[in-house]
Amino acid sequence: MEPRYDIKEVETRISKAWEDSGLFNPDICIEQGKTDADAEPFSIVLPPPNVTGVLHIGHAYEDALQDVAVRYARMQGKRTLWVPGTDHAAIATQAKVEKELSKTEKKSRFDLGREEFLKRVNDFAKASHDTIVKQVKRLGASLDWTREAYTLDEKRSKGVRTAFKTMYDLGLIYRGNRIVNWDPKGGTVISDDEVQHEERTATLYTFRYDKNFPIAVATTRLETKFGDTAVAVHPSDERYKQYVGKEYDAVFCGEPIHIKIIADESVEKDFGTGALGVTPAHSMIDWEIAERHKIPAKQVIDERGKMTVDGIVNGKKTEEARMLVAEELRKNGLMEKEEDVVQNVSIAERTGAIIEPLPKLQWFVAVDKPFAHGSGFLGIGTKTTTLKKLMYNAVASGKVKFTSERFEKTYFHWIDNLRDWCISRQIWFGHRVPVWYKGNEIYSGVEAPAGDGWEQDPDTLDTWFSSALWPFSTLGWPEQTPDLKTYFPNSLMAPGYEILFLWVARMILMAGVLLKDIPFKTVLIHGIVRDSKGQKFSKSLGNGIDPLILADTYGADALRMALIVGAPVGNDVKFDEQRVKGYRNFSTKIWNIARFIHMNKPAGSASESLKNNEKPRDGGEYIKEFNTLKKDVTAHIEAYEYHLASEKAYHYIWHTLADKIIEEQKAKLRDGSAAEKEAAYRLLEHLLLESLKMLHPFMPFVTEAVYQIFRPGRMLMVERWE
RNA sequence: GCGUCCUUAGCUCAGUGGUAGAGCGUCACAUUGACAUUGUGAAGGCCGGAGGUCCGAUCCCUCCAGGACGCACCA
């Protein structure tokens, strides 16, 4: 053996050996007799990384976790499939290319036109994809690349169109004019789950529309008040009871408005004046109030964030309009109070723009609408159900298990508050809405309708719509493929908790409607990798670390260990480069343990019998000790307590096998009789190889490399976990 | 407002109804050895605070304080 553990040489060589063997593909495992054809399947699909650039350390962590599960399953002899793929990440990818385009060529996507722009995005996505694949492979992930998928490839696109059409026919997808989250910077609508909140200070103005109006109202968004169509008060508020039901014509900053006074439970008596100016077109809440009371909506802000009313604010941006209105109110003695308040502002997740709620004609998924389900799935009954109920019951029934119960609570809470899911986007990169129009005719189908004059909807679908199909689109759905039959539902899914709603819930939804089944049995929800100060890794903070550089410096094995040991899977991981270094030392330690044992291999034919993995005759108590530990480690892996399993394996190899057992056997190896030397060697070799097997899911490279030195021609990754 | 989680060694964090654990760091000693080092040992803790249940609580329950996060939102 080489005196030094050459990380890069070994990891590169082993990577290639695995790839050449084809054993990441379960079909080849069966062909070669490594797996029984009727073995229990174990399937998992890689949460597809976005083709927006490169992998970060969070991906390395997520892949490591899954690879532990996959390698363990494979070693158990299961028919193991881990499907790789990437996500086109519609809005994120488009935004990235647009930014680049504007920087280097000073052009917008409209300057290029849809076709040329999409070509650019696809080129970028392709380059990004290639980088990502290389990175994932480097980290030792045992994915079956022969089955690679892309959310925007031909098969997945057909799946998307089929899903849309099916749900459209069920009445679960509808087109409606409703208030939506408009991202003025991205120029598109986004869903509730893509909106984030940020605390900001704002001025709360208390004012009257005009001198004759009987009630003062409070708002932070004065400029929207041109769109007020009602004033709402609490039904039990004695102060305003006399006005409820009355209607007023008023003049607000020179513009006529018509206000109806209504009573609604949602109004808080103690806030502001206890009266709420209702602006249905520019506030989610107000929209809902207006719906309840059949109050009309009046839009006063356009998609560019500019005022559309006549008079002093015409054409102005919202912030400027607000100042103008405030000034006008003060001038006319209508402003009663101005105070600073802290409020939460809605921000678009991808572009950082402040959300402008606007009424727009968009496509939605109806989550509360009863539909004919026609199966007894999840004990829902055979008649009708709603998507909310489907999502709820999948988890409540225990069919889908979350590894941490606390996430189930979060999940249920989210469902309770869920509104219809807006799925159309005004961007170009993505799945085009599979709907065609001709005059008043509307057609939804998997393919375009025959005949002339049909115009396809210009919008694209929320990227999460295609991601939601991932557990089965990757297996060939809507075709009834053998893979789908064997590997669906997936055994496991390993997403981060930050996409519990965006993704996990939607997969459950889609599988429930389209396949009348759960998408996966177990959800292993993991935390976020943070830096040593506890901050998220992000470009703006400049604290990003390239996992590949770490892998090249310390080894992918060491990186994996540093991420897995020390934090339970559901918790956040605090990442510290020092720890990677520590596990690099551990790799070296393993190499040296092996080298020492290898050097002490007795010459002659006796050792040839070792090839058959015979148990050594001596050292029974050591073997017993090992077996107890192995059982313990196995139990931890089964319970997804990878942090404990890996730590115990680590501790055993270093501080029991190396520090105690090898030290104790040294004398015999040096001075013993031939028989004693043989016995000592057999014992050490046995314990080493068994230890490598136990550690393999966590540190696949060094364990495989050493194993093959002792067992040439064999492959540790398909040895049996007993 | 509703909800979840966290508080354990200098740091980062595990863990358990029965005398407190790891890694890193620190200190002392040993060592060129299978070991780009390693080994042996040491120091270091009222397990956030107060109650309760229990023979016994760091662990279970209640409350409090501090911190993180999710959802909803005050217009």
Side-chain angles (χ1 to χ4, degrees):
Chain A
M1 274 177 82
E2 293 294 320
R4 217 181 113 183
Y5 178 50
D6 186 338
I7 294 167
K8 226 173 163 176
E9 185 279 323
V10 169
E11 292 197 348
T12 314
R13 179 164 49 81
I14 295 297
S15 233
K16 188 166 182 310
W18 284 332
E19 207 164 313
D20 292 348
S21 77
L23 293 172
F24 291 165
N25 180 341
D27 305 331
I28 292 184
C29 283
I30 291 170
E31 250 173 62
Q32 295 191 6
K34 308 288 185 193
T35 306
D36 298 335
D38 59 353
E40 182 192 338
F42 179 89
S43 54
I44 171 165
V45 187
L46 183 78
N50 292 349
V51 287
T52 45
V54 294
L55 290 194
H56 55 73
I57 197 123
H59 290 109
Y61 176 51
E62 188 170 82
D63 295 356
L65 289 177
Q66 292 171 83
D67 200 44
V68 169
V70 168
R71 285 183 185 270
Y72 172 69
R74 194 182 289 117
M75 290 176 85
Q76 282 181 304
K78 289 184 184 166
R79 189 170 169 180
T80 304
L81 174 65
W82 187 15
V83 184
T86 46
D87 193 324
H88 69 288
I91 196 163
T93 310
Q94 166 159 335
K96 192 132 191 181
V97 175
E98 279 188 292
K99 203 172 160 190
E100 194 56 31
L101 190 65
S102 127
K103 212 167 106 189
T104 57
E105 297 176 42
K106 305 251 178 288
K107 281 182 184 164
S108 78
R109 63 174 147 130
F110 299 102
D111 295 329
L112 291 192
R114 190 161 187 150
E115 201 178 326
E116 172 60 21
F117 178 73
L118 281 179
K119 197 182 155 299
R120 300 280 188 105
V121 182
N122 281 319
D123 288 349
F124 171 80
K126 174 79 176 65
S128 179
H129 160 270
D130 294 350
T131 311
I132 286 168
V133 169
K134 221 160 73 192
Q135 288 177 303
V136 174
K137 285 183 177 173
R138 175 65 186 86
L139 296 169
S142 55
L143 289 149
D144 180 7
W145 291 98
T146 65
R147 287 173 161 92
E148 188 186 350
Y150 175 47
T151 51
L152 201 54
D153 65 21
E154 221 167 280
K155 282 184 184 168
R156 263 46 66 175
S157 296
K158 191 178 176 198
V160 164
R161 297 195 303 270
T162 307
F164 189 100
K165 157 111 180 105
T166 307
M167 291 172 74
Y168 179 86
D169 290 346
L170 283 168
L172 293 174
I173 289 181
Y174 67 93
R175 197 181 193 211
N177 192 35
R178 291 190 35 204
I179 189 157
V180 289
N181 305 296
W182 177 257
D183 169 1
K185 205 162 161 189
T188 182
V189 161
I190 58 176
S191 68
D192 294 343
D193 294 282
E194 292 165 290
V195 174
Q196 292 179 337
H197 300 282
E198 218 177 275
E199 266 195 1
R200 302 231 175 132
T201 319
T203 307
L204 180 68
Y205 304 94
T206 304
F207 72 99
R208 278 170 207 267
Y209 296 111
D210 68 19
K211 286 200 172 64
N212 303 319
F213 199 77
I215 302 174
V217 296
T219 183
T220 54
R221 297 208 55 192
L222 272 179
E223 75 281 9
T224 66
K225 298 289 110 179
F226 292 103
D228 281 15
T229 49
V231 164
V233 300
H234 195 271
S236 68
D237 197 329
E238 294 299 331
R239 294 172 291 178
Y240 304 122
K241 227 166 194 166
Q242 50 175 314
Y243 304 113
V244 173
K246 292 189 175 158
E247 301 193 26
Y248 296 85
D249 283 306
V251 177
F252 178 66
C253 294
E255 299 309 307
I257 55 174
H258 184 82
I259 302 286
K260 184 177 181 185
I261 313 294
I262 55 175
D264 194 280
E265 296 277 351
S266 69
V267 179
E268 288 201 28
K269 280 193 272 191
D270 300 329
F271 188 88
T273 60
L276 164 67
V278 180
T279 324
H282 299 291
S283 156
M284 297 281 171
I285 297 299
D286 294 5
W287 178 272
E288 285 174 4
I289 293 174
E291 265 191 337
R292 284 197 286 274
H293 297 272
K294 309 264 182 289
I295 302 290
K298 183 176 154 199
Q299 185 170 344
V300 296
I301 300 168
D302 70 11
E303 291 171 4
R304 292 164 306 156
K306 291 188 175 163
M307 305 302 298
T308 57
V309 281
D310 294 333
I312 57 167
V313 297
N314 183 263
K316 305 284 190 215
K317 288 206 157 184
T318 50
E319 294 84 18
E320 196 188 346
R322 188 177 311 157
M323 294 308 132
L324 289 171
V325 171
E327 192 47 46
E328 184 73 11
L329 290 173
R330 286 185 208 114
K331 212 166 71 191
N332 295 319
L334 293 167
M335 189 76 87
E336 299 191 353
K337 201 165 26 165
E338 294 181 53
E339 56 194 317
D340 280 348
V341 291
V342 177
Q343 65 168 179
N344 277 328
V345 178
S346 299
I347 308 279
E349 189 184 38
R350 291 291 171 193
T351 63
I354 294 178
I355 295 298
E356 191 65 64
L358 290 176
K360 284 187 78 77
L361 187 60
Q362 297 293 322
W363 289 96
F364 296 88
V365 170
V367 293
D368 274 316
K369 188 179 175 188
F371 67 102
H373 192 254
S375 95
F377 167 59
L378 299 176
I380 276 166
T382 53
K383 288 181 180 166
T384 62
T385 186
T386 66
L387 292 177
K388 266 194 186 180
K389 268 190 217 158
L390 262 185
M391 285 189 278
Y392 188 91
N393 285 20
V395 176
S397 67
K399 284 209 159 198
V400 174
K401 272 202 191 66
F402 290 7
T403 50
S404 320
E405 240 177 78
R406 67 173 195 265
F407 292 120
E408 296 189 358
K409 285 186 189 170
T410 317
Y411 175 82
F412 292 139
H413 189 244
W414 174 79
I415 292 176
D416 288 342
N417 291 303
L418 186 62
R419 290 186 253 194
D420 285 359
W421 170 21
C422 178
I423 52 169
S424 45
R425 299 288 181 273
Q426 290 68 56
I427 59 172
W428 291 343
F429 185 52
H431 296 279
R432 194 95 173 246
V433 172
V435 171
W436 288 261
Y437 310 98
K438 183 157 87 177
N440 285 332
E441 279 184 274
I442 180 164
Y443 175 87
S444 170
V446 176
E447 306 299 339
D452 293 333
W454 288 96
E455 195 83 31
Q456 186 170 7
D457 195 301
D459 286 357
T460 51
L461 289 168
D462 181 1
T463 189
W464 295 103
F465 190 91
S466 57
S467 316
L469 312 176
W470 196 238
F472 41 96
S473 67
T474 48
L475 298 174
W477 186 88
E479 269 24 276
Q480 292 302 313
T481 61
D483 270 4
L484 193 64
K485 210 174 154 200
T486 307
Y487 298 109
F488 190 82
N490 298 167
S491 312
L492 192 68
M493 173 56 67
Y497 61 70
E498 76 278 12
I499 50 173
L500 186 59
F501 311 138
L502 283 169
W503 196 39
V504 178
R506 269 80 177 267
M507 289 189 281
I508 295 173
L509 181 158
M510 290 295 191
V513 183
L514 301 168
L515 287 101
K516 302 190 197 307
D517 204 343
I518 51 166
F520 30 68
K521 293 169 191 153
T522 303
V523 186
L524 180 62
I525 302 178
H526 66 256
I528 294 171
V529 182
R530 297 172 182 276
D531 70 9
S532 53
K533 289 178 208 142
Q535 292 175 305
K536 272 192 189 182
F537 284 109
S538 75
K539 284 221 181 79
S540 53
L541 286 172
N543 59 354
I545 302 179
D546 183 349
L548 283 211
I549 291 176
L550 289 168
D552 286 344
T553 313
Y554 304 110
D557 283 339
L559 176 58
R560 291 164 65 122
M561 284 293 275
L563 290 165
I564 289 173
V565 183
V569 177
N571 289 13
D572 288 355
V573 177
K574 260 192 201 151
F575 183 78
D576 182 2
E577 195 166 329
Q578 270 305 311
R579 299 186 54 234
V580 191
K581 207 169 162 182
Y583 291 109
R584 190 270 320 268
N585 292 349
F586 181 48
S587 309
T588 310
K589 186 76 184 179
I590 292 172
W591 187 261
N592 282 300
I593 291 169
R595 198 155 70 91
F596 177 76
I597 295 174
H598 198 252
M599 274 163 46
N600 285 288
K601 183 171 181 175
S605 59
S607 59
E608 289 304 304
S609 66
L610 292 175
K611 278 187 182 157
N612 305 322
N613 281 347
E614 277 175 28
K615 289 244 163 89
R617 285 181 297 260
D618 293 351
E621 68 280 13
Y622 290 131
I623 292 170
K624 220 169 134 189
E625 180 190 18
F626 176 84
N627 289 340
T628 307
L629 173 80
K630 176 85 178 265
K631 247 178 148 169
D632 202 16
V633 168
T634 305
H636 285 311
I637 294 180
E638 297 274 350
Y640 303 104
E641 293 163 347
Y642 296 159
H643 61 302
L644 298 179
S646 52
E647 193 182 349
K648 284 184 178 176
Y650 166 88
H651 208 261
Y652 174 81
I653 292 170
W654 200 320
H655 299 298
T656 300
L657 180 59
D659 289 351
K660 299 208 172 75
I661 304 176
I662 289 181
E663 291 303 325
E664 279 166 26
Q665 300 296 314
K666 267 185 179 170
K668 271 193 217 164
L669 287 171
R670 198 171 50 229
D671 308 321
S673 65
E676 279 172 335
K677 282 183 181 174
E678 174 81 19
Y681 175 77
R682 280 190 171 220
L683 173 67
L684 293 179
E685 196 209 64
H686 173 78
L687 290 176
L688 170 65
L689 297 188
E690 286 304 310
S691 296
L692 293 174
K693 212 181 272 180
M694 178 170 68
L695 188 65
H696 183 257
F698 302 98
M699 300 183 79
F701 290 102
V702 68
T703 52
E704 182 75 75
V706 170
Y707 193 83
Q708 291 188 9
I709 289 166
F710 285 84
R711 292 287 181 271
R714 298 187 71 113
M715 194 68 101
L716 178 56
M717 64 165 273
V718 286
E719 295 286 18
R720 285 301 159 88
W721 186 285
E722 281 143 359

